[in-house]
Amino acid sequence: MTSDPVDPYIFTSDSLPSDPRFMPPLTNGLLGWRVFDPIMHMGGVYNGEGGTCHRGNIPCPLAVQMKMAEDGRHTYKLDMHSGVFSHSVVTPGFEAAQVLYAHRQQTNLLVMEVLLKRSETSTEPITIQLESSFKPQSDDIVFQKAPDFEGGRYLHIFGQTISSEVPGGIRPFVHLIWTPITSTLTLPPDQSQSSWVFLVAVAGSDESVRLCYEAGLGLIDTGDLRPSHLRSWAELWKGSSIEVEGAESLNRALIGCMFYLLSSFSSLREGANAPLEFGGVSPGGLSNGNKEEDYHGHVFWDQDTWMYPSVALFCPRLARAVLEYRAGTMEGARANAQQMGYEGLKFAWESAVTGRDVCPEDIYAEQELHINGDVVLAFQQYFYLTQDLEMFREGRGSEVVWGVADYWVSRVTWDPTEQQYHIKGVIPPDEYHFTVDNSVFTNAVAQRSLQFAVELSGLLGHTPPPTWQDVADKIKIPFDPELKYHPEFDGYTQGETGVKQADVVLLGYPLDMSMTPEVRRNDLEAYEAVTDLLGPAMTWGMFALGWLELGDAERAQKLLQKCFKNIQKPFQVWSESADGSGCVNFLTGMGGFLQAVLFGYTGFRVQKEHLAFAPLLPQEVDALSVKGVSYLGNKMDWLIKSVEVSVSVRKPAEESGSQEPSALQVVLNTGTTIPLIPGQSVIFPRQPGQIRKVNSGSYCRPL
């Protein structure tokens, strides 16, 4: 394996991974495909009822590899600047290149380009083979040939999934149109070079797939097929990037995490009346999720707790798709609650399209209740970053928040002895324990969601039931006053039982629970000692973040280093476990790792009335650059060094209809106030502080 010595966004190798699971995924928020694989997926397309529900396998016509008789030097390259994968072969007589990408702007398109270029000494015809593993069939979708498209120049099939997620539910259609791929390509003797373009369009209807394919043909005619894709990626990176100086492997890991997370969200189409379909983000992303693979492509708390926060900090409007996905599953969440005998909304532990729980094992669906609080926390973070009340008025956000509050009130029981509300019989984030009472994380996240429900009621002129505040005030938060730490649940004995993953340590972040540094330290030490070393990859990032809070950057860095065992070369694909097993491409682990740096090194905390910061870098990092932080309609660029911090607010983009961003200021903990003038940088000694509005102003629209 080799890497570009200059550009940290480019990953190259002279061979492919021996394990095909670690081939690079190419995704764009709607389509997902693992390079050269005969199977791809489309967001929201599942087959199977209930616990058998899984992503529907769609055959991919671009499952093609170049072969040639001549020996040559092979190079495989993933360019994360542009989301382009290429395979190039250089021989004495010619150079061949195969380029693959999931189009970032036209998200219904996958593209393959092939280029043949003759060397000066070659005068013979040059032929390469295109070896295909594509078969126009699927175990999940019954395909049939569709009427000819463009006089039969392009191939067209369509089909419907075999079974619906719920009895009598919708079985989605899938339509494919693609350019026929011949088994050979030849460069004639009289040409020095030539190129070929192959398109695949995937959509849910005949009309839509035809329009998408025609759009692709139009881009080919104008020479804008790849350039439009590159512009979309360039714009995305311009608005969201994180890099470090002085630690090359860390820098590459961060870039890889950002690339794969951003790939999981569809680009915004300005002026489009209807939002693009978004089926949520599963732990392994759109390229994975077959039957018995990578959690079937279901959506978990991973989306809301682990992947969402970093994307929201950069691109709230992009991340809003997560909130809209949850709002779209409310009817299923209501049915889940009613089935268990409770009020309000119970979001599915494993969700697909309807919101009904599709977890194969009932105990998780019934007991892993913290998902409800995780969903609301994402809504709360979005509001604090944007002050976008429209999402809660017209976007049904208030229904989500208030429905979850009603659920918590119906789910708690009153303990007359302790004079507290209890939540009994749950599974905490630490899934090594079942049917426990008063999981400290579950109760704490329930408390926070109830508090936000009351707060939101005040903003929208809604009178909340008094029980919301009463339960929030009196819910039990387990705490041991002698050992000064938080037991994971009632009856937990410190040090005696192993823990699967980050659980109690999440009280400090992301829940931001008030506690003394001593208690925070005790929680970190108690659970670090018993956490499974082969547990899910996101865990150590949360421990690292906790130690950064306490000012111990070097201990944090040692923990963060554990995550590197989950990064599989050469294309930065993450495995769920350090030994390479489990889910791939594990976006959950990437999200935890990214948050450890993005919220740990900076100290960013999204609060009700400000964005707090408390920068701290480990010795191996010379500087941290974070570009595109979004706050109250502004875009900020940060440069953090060991002794000083630079912050600049970008000049507002000239977009018709966009609302004026709020004027911002830096308020340091020493009392110094520095106005942030768009287009100008301010520099101050490294110390904690806040970004605040200069005045209350009006609510802003998200960037």
Side-chain angles (χ1 to χ4, degrees):
M1 199 280 287
T2 60
S3 292
D4 191 293
V6 176
D7 193 334
Y9 286 75
I10 294 177
F11 296 84
T12 63
S13 176
D14 55 12
S15 62
L16 293 173
S18 58
D19 187 337
R21 298 184 308 139
F22 301 134
M23 291 291 290
L26 297 177
T27 64
N28 60 17
L30 181 66
L31 301 179
W33 177 53
R34 202 158 54 204
V35 167
F36 299 142
D37 198 272
I39 295 300
M40 61 180 170
H41 299 113
M42 182 176 181
V45 176
Y46 291 87
N47 181 50
E49 183 178 324
T52 67
C53 169
H54 58 277
R55 288 201 189 281
N57 286 344
I58 301 171
C60 183
L62 300 187
V64 173
Q65 294 196 56
M66 293 192 306
K67 304 290 181 180
M68 55 209 67
E70 297 86 345
D71 292 330
R73 186 177 75 253
H74 292 254
T75 303
Y76 302 92
K77 179 172 73 173
L78 177 62
D79 185 341
M80 293 187 180
H81 287 294
S82 58
V84 170
F85 178 86
S86 62
H87 171 208
S88 61
V89 184
V90 178
T91 75
F94 66 91
E95 179 179 348
Q98 177 187 21
V99 172
L100 302 162
Y101 52 98
H103 205 284
R104 184 72 204 172
Q105 184 187 76
Q106 302 292 331
T107 51
N108 294 81
L109 295 180
L110 294 180
V111 182
M112 179 175 76
E113 303 173 16
V114 179
L115 171 69
L116 286 179
K117 185 177 181 180
R118 180 187 308 280
S119 70
E120 293 181 2
T121 58
S122 173
T123 58
E124 298 297 320
I126 296 170
T127 298
I128 63 169
Q129 285 75 44
L130 297 180
E131 189 174 279
S132 174
S133 58
F134 165 68
K135 295 181 180 179
Q137 59 194 44
S138 167
D139 293 336
D140 299 311
I141 301 166
V142 179
F143 280 106
Q144 56 185 298
K145 191 176 186 301
D148 285 345
F149 179 65
E150 295 283 327
R153 291 173 59 197
Y154 309 108
L155 302 177
H156 184 187
I157 60 174
F158 75 99
Q160 191 175 19
T161 56
I162 295 171
S163 59
S164 60
E165 182 182 324
V166 295
I170 295 173
R171 294 185 294 124
F173 282 92
V174 176
H175 289 251
L176 274 79
I177 297 178
W178 70 94
T179 313
I181 300 176
T182 58
S183 59
T184 61
L185 294 175
T186 299
L187 180 65
D190 59 344
Q191 292 184 12
S192 62
Q193 65 179 46
S194 188
S195 61
W196 296 261
V197 179
F198 303 90
L199 294 181
V200 178
V202 189
S205 70
D206 181 79
E207 180 184 11
S208 179
V209 76
R210 289 171 182 265
L211 288 173
C212 292
Y213 198 86
E214 288 169 353
L217 293 176
L219 290 172
I220 293 173
D221 290 341
T222 60
D224 202 30
L225 182 65
R226 201 194 308 185
S228 60
H229 168 77
L230 300 181
R231 287 196 303 273
S232 292
W233 264 109
E235 187 66 23
L236 198 57
W237 281 121
K238 179 183 176 182
S240 47
S241 73
I242 176 170
E243 298 182 25
V244 297
E245 297 176 12
E248 180 184 352
S249 59
L250 173 59
N251 193 42
R252 286 181 170 273
L254 292 170
I255 289 168
C257 291
M258 280 299 299
F259 170 75
Y260 286 123
L261 281 173
L262 290 173
S263 297
S264 300
F265 291 81
S266 294
S267 285
L268 297 165
R269 291 185 182 174
E270 296 297 336
N273 293 323
L276 291 170
E277 298 175 47
F278 180 72
V281 187
S282 59
L286 268 170
S287 60
N288 299 299
N290 301 342
K291 191 174 183 181
E292 306 302 331
E293 173 197 73
D294 296 331
Y295 301 108
H296 308 295
H298 297 166
V299 178
F300 292 71
W301 75 309
D302 306 47
Q303 169 190 256
D304 313 80
T305 300
W306 299 102
M307 307 170 202
Y308 168 87
S310 297
V311 177
L313 187 66
F314 288 116
C315 309
R317 287 177 64 196
L318 209 62
R320 177 172 164 158
V322 167
L323 311 186
E324 292 168 344
Y325 167 78
R326 290 299 187 185
T329 65
M330 274 196 292
E331 294 311 308
R334 195 176 309 282
N336 295 336
Q338 291 174 351
Q339 182 178 350
M340 298 178 189
Y342 301 110
E343 303 295 324
L345 304 175
K346 165 58 176 71
F347 283 95
W349 177 242
E350 297 190 28
S351 178
V353 175
T354 68
R356 296 300 298 265
D357 211 307
V358 290
C359 181
E361 298 180 66
D362 290 344
I363 190 169
Y364 293 100
E366 295 166 358
Q367 294 193 9
E368 203 132 9
L369 311 183
H370 64 83
I371 178 66
N372 261 13
D374 307 326
V375 168
V376 171
L377 182 59
F379 278 82
Q380 185 178 21
Q381 289 171 331
Y382 173 82
F383 178 66
Y384 288 172
L385 283 169
T386 66
Q387 296 290 292
D388 174 22
L389 273 177
E390 185 274 336
M391 178 66 216
F392 296 87
R393 289 194 182 105
E394 286 79 32
R396 304 187 73 191
S398 60
E399 295 178 55
V400 170
V401 176
W402 295 339
V404 168
D406 286 338
Y407 174 83
W408 289 128
V409 168
S410 70
R411 183 61 173 79
V412 298
T413 57
W414 177 251
D415 186 282
T417 303
E418 293 190 346
Q419 290 290 293
Q420 291 177 314
Y421 288 103
H422 289 191
I423 301 179
K424 296 184 176 182
V426 304
I427 298 174
D430 166 24
E431 292 173 322
Y432 288 169
H433 296 92
F434 296 78
T435 321
V436 303
D437 296 341
N438 295 314
S439 151
V440 67
F441 177 81
T442 302
N443 288 21
V445 80
Q447 181 184 57
R448 177 152 177 165
S449 56
L450 285 162
Q451 291 167 340
F452 183 57
V454 173
E455 177 188 336
L456 185 63
S457 297
L459 293 169
L460 296 180
H462 172 77
T463 302
T467 49
W468 290 357
Q469 188 65 58
D470 186 55
V471 174
D473 290 341
K474 298 175 183 175
I475 195 168
K476 180 177 182 178
I477 305 296
F479 181 72
D480 187 322
E482 293 184 3
L483 297 177
K484 295 184 180 179
Y485 91 114
H486 292 93
E488 189 181 297
F489 48 82
D490 282 356
Y492 179 86
T493 303
Q494 188 181 103
E496 288 190 4
T497 54
V499 171
K500 177 183 178 181
Q501 61 190 41
D503 187 315
V504 176
V505 297
L506 302 178
L507 298 179
Y509 175 91
L511 294 192
D512 201 31
M513 177 183 286
S514 178
M515 67 182 80
T516 66
E518 180 185 13
V519 171
R520 180 70 159 137
R521 178 181 295 273
N522 290 344
D523 283 349
L524 290 166
E525 290 183 337
Y527 293 102
E528 182 182 328
V530 295
T531 297
D532 191 338
L533 294 176
L534 291 179
M538 65 281 193
T539 291
W540 301 114
M542 292 301 100
F543 280 98
L545 199 151
W547 288 113
L548 284 162
E549 277 184 9
L550 296 174
D552 194 339
E554 301 316 309
R555 183 164 182 175
Q557 201 67 2
K558 289 179 182 178
L559 289 165
L560 199 60
Q561 288 292 331
K562 292 186 178 185
C563 298
F564 284 86
K565 295 178 182 178
N566 299 76
I567 303 175
Q568 307 299 328
K569 296 179 179 181
F571 302 117
Q572 299 292 108
V573 172
W574 279 57
S575 59
E576 183 174 9
S577 298
D579 60 2
S581 64
C583 177
V584 295
N585 184 27
F586 194 48
L587 296 170
T588 311
M590 297 186 206
F593 182 83
L594 193 58
Q595 288 184 66
V597 175
L598 183 57
F599 292 88
Y601 288 5
T602 64
F604 285 152
R605 296 294 183 273
V606 181
Q607 307 285 2
K608 180 178 179 180
E609 295 180 344
H610 62 266
L611 176 65
F613 59 87
L616 180 64
L617 301 180
Q619 290 181 359
E620 71 176 80
V621 175
D622 297 328
L624 169 68
S625 171
V626 184
K627 295 182 178 179
V629 173
S630 294
Y631 187 59
L632 303 185
N634 295 276
K635 276 284 194 181
M636 294 184 289
D637 297 332
W638 291 67
L639 181 61
I640 297 170
K641 298 183 178 180
S642 60
V643 296
E644 67 180 23
V645 177
S646 170
V647 183
S648 62
V649 173
R650 298 180 186 179
K651 290 183 178 180
E654 296 179 1
E655 296 177 7
S656 58
S658 63
Q659 195 169 343
E660 282 293 317
S662 297
L664 299 179
Q665 59 186 341
V666 175
V667 181
L668 299 175
N669 285 9
T670 56
T672 302
T673 299
I674 309 170
L676 290 172
I677 309 301
Q680 300 180 15
S681 297
V682 301
I683 300 175
F684 51 88
R686 183 181 61 80
Q687 58 184 290
Q690 303 164 359
I691 302 295
R692 286 183 171 269
K693 284 195 288 186
V694 171
N695 49 53
S696 58
S698 58
Y699 289 130
C700 297
R701 300 167 76 178
L703 286 168

